[in-house]
Amino acid sequence: MLGYFLTTGLRPAAAALLRRAALACALLGATAAHALTPAQALAMAQGDSDARIAAIEAALASPTAPLGPYLRAMADDAVVVADGRALVVQGGQASDPVSGAAVALPEGAEDVMNNNRLRGEISAALAALDLFAPDTVRRREAAQAMLKQPSPERLPLLDRALAQEKDAQARQSLELARSAAQLGSSDVLQRRDAAAALGDSGSPQARLLLQTRLAEESDERVQAQLRRSLAQVDDRLAWGERLGVVFTGISLGSILLLVALGLAITYGLMGVINMAHGELMMIGAYATYMVQNLFQAYLPNAFDAYLLAAVPLSFLAAAAVGALMERTVLRFLYGRPLETLLATWGISLVLMQLVRSLFGAQNVGVENPSWMSGGWQLLPNLTLPLNRLVIIVFAAAVLLAMAWTIGRTRLGLFVRGVTQNRAMAACVGVNTARVDTMAFALGSGVAGLAGCALSQVGNVGPDLGQSYIVDAFMVVVLGGVGQLLGAVYAALGLGILGKFLEGWTGAVLAKIAVLVFIIVFIQKRPQGIFAMKGRSAEA
């Protein structure tokens, strides 16, 4: 009678579903008495796709040790069928999938063929087995795999995994996977509760699952809950996107601040229009690249510490080049801004060509240390990269060090004195030429630190500095010439404003809008956000 209904009384899809259910019930009865039986192994390897999938689901209901290796052998196309039983063949040797004992390979054994649907089910089954793995990372990955391929048949397995899972991240993924599986349940109340649970999660995966179910759902009550959950998820995701834009703007602003801090000394305090500032950043980045290579070659076990050595070396390399520039060229051009601009532009071309000759014209890669890899997940759709967070903290540290150097040290006092009144400073015994060299070297060294930081978020190449030099000058002019606090406000403001505009108008129009804003602002307030005070303002 059952066979009659399965073949004639139902639609083909329903008949297939009942066949799978009947086979699963039979196999579950066998599983209760024995773990993995030869009959189960054969059922997973022989028959139509529905029957084989039902056999896999039934075996997963009570997984045992032989099941994992057998499924992996099926995934590797290493299973054959001969004389009414399934065998695993590896390296030319056949073995029994239940006991693992070696057996003779019968003649005429047929290879088991797996279509794409079966391969997906086998992969999902292997991931399901990893839900009980001792390794936390494997359990997290398995829970994510269950979420990507939800199935109501796996609800008992997910319940068992949830009952013993202690890791918070894995539990969260398992709960989402359980709710996703319940969306396909035949129980209306269970589907509605699952939709509500997915709405509370606020994750992008939940949004996709809710949208897919809404297109298939026929019950009006469940449809209403699906729409409410979708609106709830969209609201939470929108907040994640807004916070992501703010963080991206702050990250860009911190990079601009690092680039502009050196210019705040060389241009803001000394009045030198240094068009080679970007190439000094490039030198700092290449110094970081060389330190990385040295650690890889001679200190591979201490590779994670290479950046700690690269920071001072990138500062010293750029500072040395800056001091050489000042002593050989710029000291003869003070008070002549046009000649200074042309000279530094020529130096920038020389430095770029020198780097191309030494390292090649192609970009080179600088790896992040392991402690700067990965990210901190703040929201389901918002992960803050660790390398960006470190650069923000680094920019703040460099800013504080610069403010202390200019405001609290003897060098800072001499720089401020020479900037405000060079003749009077010379009259009281200050070696103004030496102060000029040290100040320019300090600004150049800070540019090298900016290059070191930039090497952690992108490739290093001869044209690295060209991408930031214009923005750096805009930050210094907008913030107020010689004002460190103004540079902070300008860098963060331009970074956040630019990223918000990019979301509405695109990158090109956002750049144009920022330039127009700066032009209008400078026309209304030529001194910038913070005006210079004292004798230097009167000069």
Side-chain angles (χ1 to χ4, degrees):
M1 189 70 178
L2 178 61
Y4 172 79
F5 278 110
L6 289 179
T7 56
T8 63
L10 294 174
R11 295 178 181 177
L17 181 62
L18 280 179
R19 283 198 302 269
R20 287 180 58 183
L23 182 58
C25 291
L27 289 171
L28 279 172
T31 303
H34 306 285
L36 178 66
T37 65
Q40 273 187 306
L42 180 63
M44 284 187 275
Q46 193 176 55
D48 60 23
S49 297
D50 289 329
R52 293 175 63 185
I53 291 173
I56 293 172
E57 297 289 351
L60 280 177
S62 181
T64 55
L67 181 59
Y70 182 58
L71 288 174
R72 291 187 182 89
M74 289 183 63
D76 296 336
D77 296 326
V79 176
V80 299
V81 174
D83 297 336
R85 62 174 177 170
L87 299 174
V88 176
V89 179
Q90 293 177 332
Q93 176 62 55
S95 61
D96 184 82
V98 178
S99 64
V103 296
L105 181 63
E107 294 184 3
E110 298 181 359
D111 293 332
V112 173
M113 305 300 295
N114 300 315
N115 56 31
N116 290 338
R117 181 185 172 200
L118 275 167
R119 290 188 183 279
E121 291 292 335
I122 293 171
S123 298
L126 286 171
L129 292 176
D130 284 340
L131 291 175
F132 307 95
D135 183 27
T136 302
V137 175
R138 286 178 60 190
R139 295 201 308 274
R140 290 176 180 176
E141 293 175 351
Q144 285 292 325
M146 292 294 99
L147 179 58
K148 293 177 181 177
Q149 292 184 325
S151 173
E153 288 85 357
R154 299 196 184 103
L155 280 172
L157 191 71
L158 292 171
D159 289 335
R160 286 180 52 204
L162 270 171
Q164 68 182 48
E165 185 57 64
K166 304 299 182 183
D167 181 72
Q169 184 175 337
R171 281 192 64 85
Q172 183 180 12
S173 298
L174 284 171
E175 289 168 355
L176 282 176
R178 186 176 184 275
S179 299
Q182 288 176 332
L183 275 182
S185 171
S186 59
D187 186 353
V188 172
L189 293 178
Q190 197 172 62
R191 295 203 303 273
R192 189 174 64 181
D193 293 341
L198 289 172
D200 293 334
S201 71
S203 67
Q205 298 99 321
R207 187 178 189 276
L208 179 60
L209 291 168
L210 291 169
Q211 284 182 324
T212 303
R213 186 62 205 178
L214 182 60
E216 303 171 353
E217 184 58 53
S218 58
D219 188 88
E220 294 182 356
R221 293 172 298 173
V222 180
Q223 286 179 349
Q225 181 59 59
L226 287 169
R227 292 190 182 95
R228 287 194 295 269
S229 297
L230 271 173
Q232 186 178 357
V233 170
D234 287 340
D235 184 62
R236 293 191 63 180
L237 292 179
W239 274 108
E241 292 175 359
R242 295 187 193 107
L243 293 176
V245 171
V246 172
F247 174 77
T248 305
I250 293 174
S251 175
L252 175 60
S254 66
I255 292 175
L256 291 178
L257 177 61
L258 274 174
V259 177
L261 279 177
L263 276 181
I265 295 177
T266 57
Y267 175 61
L269 293 179
M270 300 180 65
V272 176
I273 304 176
N274 183 15
M275 297 303 294
H277 189 78
E279 281 57 53
L280 294 171
M281 292 166 42
M282 175 195 67
I283 289 173
Y286 272 99
T288 305
Y289 168 71
M290 293 179 66
V291 172
Q292 170 201 255
N293 290 346
L294 290 174
F295 269 73
Q296 287 176 336
Y298 300 105
L299 296 171
N301 295 330
F303 180 78
D304 284 344
Y306 90 87
L307 196 58
L308 301 178
V311 168
L313 290 177
S314 61
F315 177 89
L316 293 174
V321 174
L324 182 63
M325 287 171 53
E326 199 281 333
R327 295 297 289 179
T328 57
V329 178
L330 298 180
R331 66 181 302 183
F332 305 107
L333 300 176
Y334 288 127
R336 297 155 63 185
L338 181 59
E339 287 87 344
T340 303
L341 185 149
L342 293 174
T344 54
W345 179 62
I347 292 173
S348 71
L349 297 179
V350 172
L351 291 176
M352 283 192 291
Q353 189 57 45
L354 180 62
V355 166
R356 288 192 182 98
S357 300
L358 293 176
F359 299 98
Q362 300 298 321
N363 291 344
V364 297
V366 178
E367 298 181 18
N368 292 132
S370 61
W371 50 272
M372 285 183 67
S373 302
W376 175 40
Q377 188 170 5
L378 189 61
L379 292 174
N381 64 327
L382 177 60
T383 300
L384 308 183
L386 288 181
N387 57 348
R388 297 277 181 174
L389 289 171
V390 171
I391 288 176
I392 292 173
V393 174
F394 181 67
V398 173
L399 173 65
L400 292 176
M402 286 289 297
W404 179 79
T405 300
I406 298 299
R408 299 291 182 180
T409 65
R410 185 179 180 86
L411 173 61
L413 176 63
F414 286 170
V415 170
R416 287 182 284 120
V418 171
T419 300
Q420 292 182 8
N421 195 321
R422 176 179 294 270
M424 184 57 69
C427 289
V428 297
V430 176
N431 188 335
T432 58
R434 180 181 298 174
V435 171
D436 289 336
T437 302
M438 295 177 68
F440 197 88
L442 176 62
S444 302
V446 174
L449 293 179
C452 178
L454 285 172
S455 69
Q456 301 301 305
V457 295
N459 290 326
V460 175
D463 301 324
L464 172 67
Q466 300 297 310
S467 304
Y468 294 94
I469 184 65
V470 175
D471 290 335
F473 272 107
M474 287 194 302
V475 168
V476 173
V477 173
L478 182 63
V481 176
Q483 300 296 317
L484 294 181
L485 185 59
V488 175
Y489 279 93
L492 294 179
L494 291 179
I496 295 175
L497 177 63
K499 288 302 177 181
F500 267 111
L501 291 176
E502 281 183 16
W504 294 335
T505 64
V508 176
L509 290 179
K511 192 76 169 179
I512 294 173
V514 170
L515 287 172
V516 171
F517 167 75
I518 293 175
I519 292 171
V520 173
F521 184 89
I522 294 301
Q523 285 181 339
K524 298 296 183 182
R525 189 177 174 83
Q527 67 271 32
I529 298 175
F530 293 98
M532 186 175 290
K533 300 178 182 179
R535 290 188 179 93
S536 58
E538 301 169 1

